[in-house]
Amino acid sequence: MIVHTMSMLECTKLLTMNRLGHLACAKDGQPYVVPLHYAYADNHLYAFSMPGKKIEWMRSNPLVSVQVLERGQGREWRSVIVDGHYEELPDRIGDECGRDYAWSLLSKHHDWWEPGALKPATLSVLDHSPHVFFRISAESMSGREATD
């Protein structure tokens, strides 16, 4: 097996072609990793969620990483790591543009809303929980690929 460093163009293509990654965030020295459905555009990963642990932790510490893995044939794989900052796209007058843009990117994918909307919770909590749209700036990224 040979492992190569991917170019920035290859990293960008992998992020654009995929929509599932793993988000790493941390609070009080404790790491937390969760799956993340996203859309990549303009050097940002756009995503959607219900309020919960990851949103609370990213609000507390906006430094995050996202890993996107693409499996190939046999032992082949490609992986990109994005390091960046969490930025919430608020639902308020004057800020609709960013939220609408995220919606337009995410809604191109079939059932895009299900991963963020199906958080297990009681009905009373869901009645008071607005959806959270956010983006993660791709401040740095690196990629590796393994070939046989």
mmCIF file of all heavy atoms in Angstrom, residues 44-82:
data_model
loop_
_atom_site.group_PDB
_atom_site.id
_atom_site.type_symbol
_atom_site.label_atom_id
_atom_site.label_comp_id
_atom_site.label_asym_id
_atom_site.label_seq_id
_atom_site.Cartn_x
_atom_site.Cartn_y
_atom_site.Cartn_z
ATOM 1 N N HIS A 44 -16.531 26.482 2.761
ATOM 2 C CA HIS A 44 -17.268 26.229 4.003
ATOM 3 C C HIS A 44 -18.020 24.904 3.907
ATOM 4 O O HIS A 44 -18.474 24.518 2.827
ATOM 5 C CB HIS A 44 -18.303 27.328 4.265
ATOM 6 C CG HIS A 44 -17.715 28.633 4.668
ATOM 7 N ND1 HIS A 44 -17.303 29.570 3.752
ATOM 8 C CD2 HIS A 44 -17.463 29.152 5.892
ATOM 9 C CE1 HIS A 44 -16.830 30.624 4.403
ATOM 10 N NE2 HIS A 44 -16.913 30.398 5.705
ATOM 11 N N LEU A 45 -18.175 24.252 5.037
ATOM 12 C CA LEU A 45 -19.068 23.111 5.164
ATOM 13 C C LEU A 45 -20.355 23.648 5.798
ATOM 14 O O LEU A 45 -20.313 24.228 6.882
ATOM 15 C CB LEU A 45 -18.465 22.037 6.073
ATOM 16 C CG LEU A 45 -17.134 21.444 5.627
ATOM 17 C CD1 LEU A 45 -16.543 20.584 6.731
ATOM 18 C CD2 LEU A 45 -17.312 20.634 4.368
ATOM 19 N N TYR A 46 -21.478 23.475 5.111
ATOM 20 C CA TYR A 46 -22.775 23.939 5.615
ATOM 21 C C TYR A 46 -23.536 22.752 6.179
ATOM 22 O O TYR A 46 -23.543 21.665 5.577
ATOM 23 C CB TYR A 46 -23.576 24.591 4.486
ATOM 24 C CG TYR A 46 -22.999 25.912 4.052
ATOM 25 C CD1 TYR A 46 -21.978 25.979 3.106
ATOM 26 C CD2 TYR A 46 -23.451 27.099 4.614
ATOM 27 C CE1 TYR A 46 -21.429 27.189 2.716
ATOM 28 C CE2 TYR A 46 -22.907 28.326 4.230
ATOM 29 C CZ TYR A 46 -21.902 28.353 3.288
ATOM 30 O OH TYR A 46 -21.364 29.566 2.918
ATOM 31 N N ALA A 47 -24.186 22.948 7.328
ATOM 32 C CA ALA A 47 -24.890 21.854 7.975
ATOM 33 C C ALA A 47 -26.098 22.375 8.746
ATOM 34 O O ALA A 47 -26.301 23.579 8.882
ATOM 35 C CB ALA A 47 -23.948 21.095 8.893
ATOM 36 N N PHE A 48 -26.848 21.420 9.283
ATOM 37 C CA PHE A 48 -28.119 21.675 9.939
ATOM 38 C C PHE A 48 -28.260 20.698 11.099
ATOM 39 O O PHE A 48 -27.828 19.548 10.999
ATOM 40 C CB PHE A 48 -29.209 21.471 8.884
ATOM 41 C CG PHE A 48 -30.555 21.089 9.401
ATOM 42 C CD1 PHE A 48 -31.424 22.056 9.868
ATOM 43 C CD2 PHE A 48 -30.964 19.772 9.387
ATOM 44 C CE1 PHE A 48 -32.678 21.708 10.318
ATOM 45 C CE2 PHE A 48 -32.216 19.424 9.827
ATOM 46 C CZ PHE A 48 -33.080 20.395 10.307
ATOM 47 N N SER A 49 -28.828 21.146 12.210
ATOM 48 C CA SER A 49 -29.003 20.265 13.355
ATOM 49 C C SER A 49 -30.116 20.787 14.250
ATOM 50 O O SER A 49 -30.520 21.942 14.147
ATOM 51 C CB SER A 49 -27.705 20.193 14.166
ATOM 52 O OG SER A 49 -27.846 19.341 15.279
ATOM 53 N N MET A 50 -30.567 19.947 15.135
ATOM 54 C CA MET A 50 -31.401 20.375 16.244
ATOM 55 C C MET A 50 -30.453 20.759 17.368
ATOM 56 O O MET A 50 -29.313 20.296 17.415
ATOM 57 C CB MET A 50 -32.318 19.230 16.700
ATOM 58 C CG MET A 50 -33.343 18.825 15.662
ATOM 59 S SD MET A 50 -34.548 20.107 15.314
ATOM 60 C CE MET A 50 -35.483 20.102 16.826
ATOM 61 N N PRO A 51 -30.900 21.618 18.281
ATOM 62 C CA PRO A 51 -30.045 21.931 19.433
ATOM 63 C C PRO A 51 -29.713 20.652 20.200
ATOM 64 O O PRO A 51 -30.516 19.732 20.267
ATOM 65 C CB PRO A 51 -30.917 22.860 20.275
ATOM 66 C CG PRO A 51 -31.870 23.460 19.313
ATOM 67 C CD PRO A 51 -32.149 22.373 18.303
ATOM 68 N N GLY A 52 -28.543 20.597 20.738
ATOM 69 C CA GLY A 52 -28.101 19.432 21.494
ATOM 70 C C GLY A 52 -26.644 19.590 21.870
ATOM 71 O O GLY A 52 -26.085 20.689 21.812
ATOM 72 N N LYS A 53 -26.018 18.492 22.191
ATOM 73 C CA LYS A 53 -24.652 18.505 22.701
ATOM 74 C C LYS A 53 -23.663 19.143 21.740
ATOM 75 O O LYS A 53 -22.870 20.000 22.135
ATOM 76 C CB LYS A 53 -24.226 17.077 23.039
ATOM 77 C CG LYS A 53 -22.882 16.967 23.711
ATOM 78 C CD LYS A 53 -22.630 15.530 24.147
ATOM 79 C CE LYS A 53 -21.312 15.392 24.860
ATOM 80 N NZ LYS A 53 -21.138 14.011 25.380
ATOM 81 N N LYS A 54 -23.694 18.753 20.449
ATOM 82 C CA LYS A 54 -22.684 19.309 19.529
ATOM 83 C C LYS A 54 -22.861 20.808 19.344
ATOM 84 O O LYS A 54 -21.883 21.552 19.297
ATOM 85 C CB LYS A 54 -22.663 18.563 18.207
ATOM 86 C CG LYS A 54 -23.782 18.839 17.251
ATOM 87 C CD LYS A 54 -23.516 18.126 15.925
ATOM 88 C CE LYS A 54 -24.734 18.087 15.066
ATOM 89 N NZ LYS A 54 -25.696 17.083 15.463
ATOM 90 N N ILE A 55 -24.110 21.281 19.260
ATOM 91 C CA ILE A 55 -24.341 22.726 19.109
ATOM 92 C C ILE A 55 -23.887 23.451 20.367
ATOM 93 O O ILE A 55 -23.190 24.481 20.287
ATOM 94 C CB ILE A 55 -25.829 23.009 18.797
ATOM 95 C CG1 ILE A 55 -26.243 22.372 17.463
ATOM 96 C CG2 ILE A 55 -26.100 24.509 18.803
ATOM 97 C CD1 ILE A 55 -25.503 22.886 16.246
ATOM 98 N N GLU A 56 -24.242 22.936 21.533
ATOM 99 C CA GLU A 56 -23.821 23.545 22.795
ATOM 100 C C GLU A 56 -22.301 23.621 22.886
ATOM 101 O O GLU A 56 -21.733 24.657 23.235
ATOM 102 C CB GLU A 56 -24.374 22.722 23.961
ATOM 103 C CG GLU A 56 -23.892 23.184 25.313
ATOM 104 C CD GLU A 56 -24.238 22.196 26.421
ATOM 105 O OE1 GLU A 56 -25.257 21.503 26.319
ATOM 106 O OE2 GLU A 56 -23.453 22.130 27.383
ATOM 107 N N TRP A 57 -21.639 22.521 22.513
ATOM 108 C CA TRP A 57 -20.174 22.484 22.611
ATOM 109 C C TRP A 57 -19.535 23.418 21.591
ATOM 110 O O TRP A 57 -18.542 24.071 21.886
ATOM 111 C CB TRP A 57 -19.675 21.061 22.438
ATOM 112 C CG TRP A 57 -19.882 20.197 23.653
ATOM 113 C CD1 TRP A 57 -20.926 20.276 24.550
ATOM 114 C CD2 TRP A 57 -19.053 19.148 24.106
ATOM 115 N NE1 TRP A 57 -20.780 19.320 25.513
ATOM 116 C CE2 TRP A 57 -19.640 18.617 25.267
ATOM 117 C CE3 TRP A 57 -17.887 18.588 23.618
ATOM 118 C CZ2 TRP A 57 -19.080 17.555 25.964
ATOM 119 C CZ3 TRP A 57 -17.324 17.525 24.309
ATOM 120 C CH2 TRP A 57 -17.911 17.021 25.482
ATOM 121 N N MET A 58 -20.068 23.490 20.367
ATOM 122 C CA MET A 58 -19.478 24.379 19.356
ATOM 123 C C MET A 58 -19.730 25.840 19.699
ATOM 124 O O MET A 58 -18.901 26.699 19.365
ATOM 125 C CB MET A 58 -20.010 24.040 17.958
ATOM 126 C CG MET A 58 -19.484 22.714 17.436
ATOM 127 S SD MET A 58 -19.872 22.385 15.695
ATOM 128 C CE MET A 58 -21.657 22.291 15.716
ATOM 129 N N ARG A 59 -20.849 26.142 20.343
ATOM 130 C CA ARG A 59 -21.081 27.511 20.804
ATOM 131 C C ARG A 59 -20.068 27.885 21.869
ATOM 132 O O ARG A 59 -19.608 29.027 21.932
ATOM 133 C CB ARG A 59 -22.501 27.648 21.354
ATOM 134 C CG ARG A 59 -23.571 27.703 20.291
ATOM 135 C CD ARG A 59 -24.954 27.700 20.899
ATOM 136 N NE ARG A 59 -25.994 27.853 19.874
ATOM 137 C CZ ARG A 59 -27.278 27.603 20.094
ATOM 138 N NH1 ARG A 59 -27.698 27.198 21.287
ATOM 139 N NH2 ARG A 59 -28.155 27.773 19.115
ATOM 140 N N SER A 60 -19.711 26.929 22.714
ATOM 141 C CA SER A 60 -18.752 27.158 23.787
ATOM 142 C C SER A 60 -17.317 27.260 23.255
ATOM 143 O O SER A 60 -16.525 28.068 23.734
ATOM 144 C CB SER A 60 -18.851 26.010 24.795
ATOM 145 O OG SER A 60 -17.846 26.100 25.764
ATOM 146 N N ASN A 61 -16.989 26.422 22.274
ATOM 147 C CA ASN A 61 -15.651 26.390 21.683
ATOM 148 C C ASN A 61 -15.814 26.207 20.173
ATOM 149 O O ASN A 61 -16.020 25.085 19.719
ATOM 150 C CB ASN A 61 -14.821 25.254 22.280
ATOM 151 C CG ASN A 61 -13.451 25.142 21.634
ATOM 152 O OD1 ASN A 61 -13.041 25.975 20.838
ATOM 153 N ND2 ASN A 61 -12.741 24.078 21.978
ATOM 154 N N PRO A 62 -15.720 27.272 19.389
ATOM 155 C CA PRO A 62 -15.974 27.178 17.950
ATOM 156 C C PRO A 62 -14.872 26.515 17.118
ATOM 157 O O PRO A 62 -15.048 26.336 15.918
ATOM 158 C CB PRO A 62 -16.162 28.635 17.532
ATOM 159 C CG PRO A 62 -15.399 29.423 18.534
ATOM 160 C CD PRO A 62 -15.491 28.654 19.821
ATOM 161 N N LEU A 63 -13.761 26.112 17.732
ATOM 162 C CA LEU A 63 -12.697 25.426 16.999
ATOM 163 C C LEU A 63 -13.096 23.967 16.798
ATOM 164 O O LEU A 63 -13.314 23.238 17.770
ATOM 165 C CB LEU A 63 -11.373 25.506 17.758
ATOM 166 C CG LEU A 63 -10.815 26.904 17.971
ATOM 167 C CD1 LEU A 63 -9.564 26.838 18.838
ATOM 168 C CD2 LEU A 63 -10.523 27.565 16.649
ATOM 169 N N VAL A 64 -13.195 23.550 15.540
ATOM 170 C CA VAL A 64 -13.651 22.196 15.219
ATOM 171 C C VAL A 64 -12.809 21.593 14.102
ATOM 172 O O VAL A 64 -12.081 22.303 13.408
ATOM 173 C CB VAL A 64 -15.145 22.193 14.794
ATOM 174 C CG1 VAL A 64 -16.028 22.711 15.915
ATOM 175 C CG2 VAL A 64 -15.366 22.999 13.525
ATOM 176 N N SER A 65 -12.951 20.287 13.942
ATOM 177 C CA SER A 65 -12.361 19.568 12.815
ATOM 178 C C SER A 65 -13.426 18.657 12.227
ATOM 179 O O SER A 65 -14.301 18.174 12.943
ATOM 180 C CB SER A 65 -11.168 18.714 13.254
ATOM 181 O OG SER A 65 -10.095 19.525 13.663
ATOM 182 N N VAL A 66 -13.330 18.438 10.918
ATOM 183 C CA VAL A 66 -14.223 17.508 10.231
ATOM 184 C C VAL A 66 -13.361 16.584 9.387
ATOM 185 O O VAL A 66 -12.455 17.037 8.689
ATOM 186 C CB VAL A 66 -15.248 18.243 9.337
ATOM 187 C CG1 VAL A 66 -16.102 17.243 8.563
ATOM 188 C CG2 VAL A 66 -16.127 19.176 10.170
ATOM 189 N N GLN A 67 -13.644 15.293 9.460
ATOM 190 C CA GLN A 67 -12.948 14.298 8.658
ATOM 191 C C GLN A 67 -13.951 13.665 7.704
ATOM 192 O O GLN A 67 -15.055 13.290 8.113
ATOM 193 C CB GLN A 67 -12.327 13.217 9.543
ATOM 194 C CG GLN A 67 -11.476 12.241 8.785
ATOM 195 C CD GLN A 67 -12.099 10.858 8.639
ATOM 196 O OE1 GLN A 67 -13.160 10.565 9.165
ATOM 197 N NE2 GLN A 67 -11.427 10.012 7.908
ATOM 198 N N VAL A 68 -13.593 13.617 6.423
ATOM 199 C CA VAL A 68 -14.417 12.983 5.400
ATOM 200 C C VAL A 68 -13.594 11.838 4.810
ATOM 201 O O VAL A 68 -12.463 12.048 4.372
ATOM 202 C CB VAL A 68 -14.838 13.985 4.304
ATOM 203 C CG1 VAL A 68 -15.625 13.285 3.209
ATOM 204 C CG2 VAL A 68 -15.650 15.128 4.916
ATOM 205 N N LEU A 69 -14.174 10.648 4.821
ATOM 206 C CA LEU A 69 -13.492 9.445 4.351
ATOM 207 C C LEU A 69 -14.249 8.865 3.170
ATOM 208 O O LEU A 69 -15.472 8.767 3.201
ATOM 209 C CB LEU A 69 -13.430 8.397 5.465
ATOM 210 C CG LEU A 69 -12.856 7.030 5.096
ATOM 211 C CD1 LEU A 69 -11.372 7.138 4.774
ATOM 212 C CD2 LEU A 69 -13.095 6.044 6.228
ATOM 213 N N GLU A 70 -13.498 8.494 2.141
ATOM 214 C CA GLU A 70 -14.075 7.840 0.967
ATOM 215 C C GLU A 70 -13.357 6.510 0.783
ATOM 216 O O GLU A 70 -12.143 6.483 0.605
ATOM 217 C CB GLU A 70 -13.903 8.740 -0.254
ATOM 218 C CG GLU A 70 -14.563 8.241 -1.497
ATOM 219 C CD GLU A 70 -14.413 9.250 -2.628
ATOM 220 O OE1 GLU A 70 -13.365 9.224 -3.314
ATOM 221 O OE2 GLU A 70 -15.326 10.073 -2.794
ATOM 222 N N ARG A 71 -14.106 5.431 0.859
ATOM 223 C CA ARG A 71 -13.531 4.096 0.684
ATOM 224 C C ARG A 71 -13.402 3.778 -0.797
ATOM 225 O O ARG A 71 -14.269 4.115 -1.582
ATOM 226 C CB ARG A 71 -14.412 3.040 1.350
ATOM 227 C CG ARG A 71 -14.660 3.222 2.831
ATOM 228 C CD ARG A 71 -13.535 2.816 3.678
ATOM 229 N NE ARG A 71 -13.071 1.492 3.294
ATOM 230 C CZ ARG A 71 -12.245 0.763 3.998
ATOM 231 N NH1 ARG A 71 -11.805 1.219 5.125
ATOM 232 N NH2 ARG A 71 -11.846 -0.416 3.578
ATOM 233 N N GLY A 72 -12.338 3.119 -1.153
ATOM 234 C CA GLY A 72 -12.129 2.678 -2.530
ATOM 235 C C GLY A 72 -12.247 1.171 -2.611
ATOM 236 O O GLY A 72 -12.849 0.528 -1.751
ATOM 237 N N GLN A 73 -11.634 0.604 -3.625
ATOM 238 C CA GLN A 73 -11.632 -0.848 -3.805
ATOM 239 C C GLN A 73 -10.579 -1.468 -2.895
ATOM 240 O O GLN A 73 -9.496 -0.905 -2.713
ATOM 241 C CB GLN A 73 -11.321 -1.166 -5.257
ATOM 242 C CG GLN A 73 -12.311 -0.537 -6.196
ATOM 243 C CD GLN A 73 -12.911 -1.568 -7.121
ATOM 244 O OE1 GLN A 73 -12.522 -2.722 -7.129
ATOM 245 N NE2 GLN A 73 -13.877 -1.143 -7.901
ATOM 246 N N GLY A 74 -10.883 -2.604 -2.313
ATOM 247 C CA GLY A 74 -9.924 -3.288 -1.460
ATOM 248 C C GLY A 74 -9.510 -2.432 -0.282
ATOM 249 O O GLY A 74 -10.334 -1.983 0.495
ATOM 250 N N ARG A 75 -8.201 -2.190 -0.187
ATOM 251 C CA ARG A 75 -7.675 -1.393 0.931
ATOM 252 C C ARG A 75 -7.532 0.089 0.592
ATOM 253 O O ARG A 75 -6.989 0.850 1.394
ATOM 254 C CB ARG A 75 -6.320 -1.951 1.346
ATOM 255 C CG ARG A 75 -6.388 -3.396 1.815
ATOM 256 C CD ARG A 75 -5.071 -3.912 2.322
ATOM 257 N NE ARG A 75 -3.963 -3.667 1.401
ATOM 258 C CZ ARG A 75 -2.687 -3.647 1.753
ATOM 259 N NH1 ARG A 75 -2.337 -3.879 2.986
ATOM 260 N NH2 ARG A 75 -1.747 -3.415 0.854
ATOM 261 N N GLU A 76 -7.991 0.516 -0.565
ATOM 262 C CA GLU A 76 -7.834 1.908 -0.983
ATOM 263 C C GLU A 76 -8.799 2.833 -0.234
ATOM 264 O O GLU A 76 -9.921 2.450 0.068
ATOM 265 C CB GLU A 76 -8.056 2.037 -2.482
ATOM 266 C CG GLU A 76 -7.004 1.311 -3.299
ATOM 267 C CD GLU A 76 -7.237 1.432 -4.791
ATOM 268 O OE1 GLU A 76 -8.301 1.915 -5.219
ATOM 269 O OE2 GLU A 76 -6.341 1.013 -5.546
ATOM 270 N N TRP A 77 -8.345 4.040 0.041
ATOM 271 C CA TRP A 77 -9.163 5.047 0.697
ATOM 272 C C TRP A 77 -8.600 6.434 0.415
ATOM 273 O O TRP A 77 -7.448 6.580 0.020
ATOM 274 C CB TRP A 77 -9.243 4.819 2.211
ATOM 275 C CG TRP A 77 -7.893 4.698 2.886
ATOM 276 C CD1 TRP A 77 -7.223 3.543 3.166
ATOM 277 C CD2 TRP A 77 -7.052 5.763 3.343
ATOM 278 N NE1 TRP A 77 -6.012 3.819 3.767
ATOM 279 C CE2 TRP A 77 -5.889 5.177 3.895
ATOM 280 C CE3 TRP A 77 -7.150 7.151 3.349
ATOM 281 C CZ2 TRP A 77 -4.851 5.934 4.441
ATOM 282 C CZ3 TRP A 77 -6.126 7.912 3.888
ATOM 283 C CH2 TRP A 77 -4.989 7.295 4.424
ATOM 284 N N ARG A 78 -9.452 7.436 0.619
ATOM 285 C CA ARG A 78 -9.051 8.849 0.563
ATOM 286 C C ARG A 78 -9.693 9.544 1.757
ATOM 287 O O ARG A 78 -10.850 9.278 2.089
ATOM 288 C CB ARG A 78 -9.519 9.520 -0.729
ATOM 289 C CG ARG A 78 -8.901 8.891 -1.953
ATOM 290 C CD ARG A 78 -9.175 9.599 -3.254
ATOM 291 N NE ARG A 78 -10.518 10.106 -3.407
ATOM 292 C CZ ARG A 78 -10.846 11.164 -4.152
ATOM 293 N NH1 ARG A 78 -9.917 11.838 -4.790
ATOM 294 N NH2 ARG A 78 -12.086 11.540 -4.260
ATOM 295 N N SER A 79 -8.963 10.429 2.388
ATOM 296 C CA SER A 79 -9.457 11.097 3.590
ATOM 297 C C SER A 79 -9.005 12.550 3.593
ATOM 298 O O SER A 79 -7.865 12.850 3.251
ATOM 299 C CB SER A 79 -8.910 10.385 4.835
ATOM 300 O OG SER A 79 -9.304 11.066 6.007
ATOM 301 N N VAL A 80 -9.921 13.429 3.985
ATOM 302 C CA VAL A 80 -9.607 14.856 4.113
ATOM 303 C C VAL A 80 -9.972 15.307 5.526
ATOM 304 O O VAL A 80 -11.033 14.943 6.047
ATOM 305 C CB VAL A 80 -10.376 15.706 3.071
ATOM 306 C CG1 VAL A 80 -10.220 17.194 3.335
ATOM 307 C CG2 VAL A 80 -9.898 15.371 1.663
ATOM 308 N N ILE A 81 -9.098 16.091 6.126
ATOM 309 C CA ILE A 81 -9.341 16.698 7.432
ATOM 310 C C ILE A 81 -9.452 18.205 7.219
ATOM 311 O O ILE A 81 -8.577 18.821 6.607
ATOM 312 C CB ILE A 81 -8.181 16.441 8.423
ATOM 313 C CG1 ILE A 81 -7.910 14.956 8.587
ATOM 314 C CG2 ILE A 81 -8.454 17.141 9.748
ATOM 315 C CD1 ILE A 81 -8.877 14.215 9.433
ATOM 316 N N VAL A 82 -10.536 18.781 7.715
ATOM 317 C CA VAL A 82 -10.755 20.228 7.661
ATOM 318 C C VAL A 82 -10.705 20.762 9.086
ATOM 319 O O VAL A 82 -11.401 20.253 9.962
ATOM 320 C CB VAL A 82 -12.132 20.564 7.039
ATOM 321 C CG1 VAL A 82 -12.427 22.054 7.150
ATOM 322 C CG2 VAL A 82 -12.201 20.094 5.599
#
